[in-house]
Amino acid sequence: MSVFKPALFALPLSVLIAAPALAHSDVKNPVVMDRMMTMKAIQGSMKTLGDMAKGKIPFDAEKATAAAAAMAHDGKKVPEKFRANETDPKSEALPAIWDNFDDFVQKSEAMVAAAASVGTIGDESALGAALGKIGGTCKACHRDYRE
Ligand code: HEC
């Protein structure tokens, strides 16, 4: 039976990969698609925290802590994903990114630092604090570098 085991993992993985790609099927440039997917992953973690804060899903310390850790992890990929000055009609990235790439990297590092500094999210007040801390760093970059 062990020969069938990989199939158990193959299905959820393909669903995870296919779902966001469908929503962006009109993005032609694979580099742009790739960086958008990184942002989507970060947003997914943010949504978990936000939904808990709003009471849409129950507070779960383990899940919240994992979501913040995932954001720190995914955030580390941002500079590399945006390094190439690539565009696409669907992209919301502003050309200013590549005129100020050092600043862009700093803003990306600020997000990673905020997400990493959160540590264990043990209760709802820690959750609120984490959201504020991380959310500010998303806005700081989007304000300057996203349409
Ligand atoms: C260092 C800059 C930077 C930081 C920090 C940042 N973003 Fe972004 N984000 C961008 C840029 C630039 C785009 C536009 C990319 C494009 O369209 O090519 C973007 C796009 C997005 C998108 C749209 C992706 C899509 O599918 O088109 C979402 C959602 C998003 N960001 C969420 C977040 C969240 C949530 C955070 C904070 C946890 C965050 N971002 C932090 C720069 C940043």
Side-chain angles (χ1 to χ4, degrees):
M1 285 305 278
S2 68
V3 72
F4 292 111
K5 269 186 185 159
L8 294 176
F9 297 100
L11 177 66
L13 187 64
S14 68
V15 167
L16 276 175
I17 293 167
L22 280 176
H24 288 77
S25 54
D26 41 0
V27 177
K28 303 274 187 296
N29 185 329
V31 178
V32 172
M33 174 73 99
D34 191 40
R35 73 192 183 205
M36 283 175 166
M37 288 303 124
T38 303
M39 279 296 155
K40 280 275 173 197
I42 293 169
Q43 182 201 32
S45 306
M46 197 67 176
K47 188 177 181 318
T48 300
L49 298 182
D51 284 354
M52 277 184 206
K54 287 185 220 145
K56 278 173 95 181
I57 54 172
F59 176 75
D60 180 323
E62 214 168 291
K63 267 192 207 158
T65 301
M71 248 184 260
H73 177 266
D74 292 329
K76 286 194 187 122
K77 300 180 199 158
V78 168
E80 223 29 68
K81 299 283 183 188
F82 281 84
R83 191 170 301 278
N85 185 348
E86 294 276 351
T87 194
D88 184 280
K90 293 283 169 187
S91 175
E92 296 170 335
L94 293 176
I97 293 172
W98 296 280
D99 296 334
N100 306 281
F101 200 70
D102 289 348
D103 181 60
F104 182 84
V105 170
Q106 268 174 32
K107 287 185 161 63
S108 168
E109 285 169 352
M111 173 185 65
V112 171
S117 76
V118 160
T120 302
I121 303 176
D123 57 27
E124 287 181 57
S125 85
L127 174 65
L131 269 170
K133 211 172 188 182
I134 301 169
T137 66
C138 313
K139 283 195 203 106
C141 187
H142 289 170
R143 191 184 53 220
D144 290 345
Y145 298 121
R146 185 185 173 195
E147 273 171 21

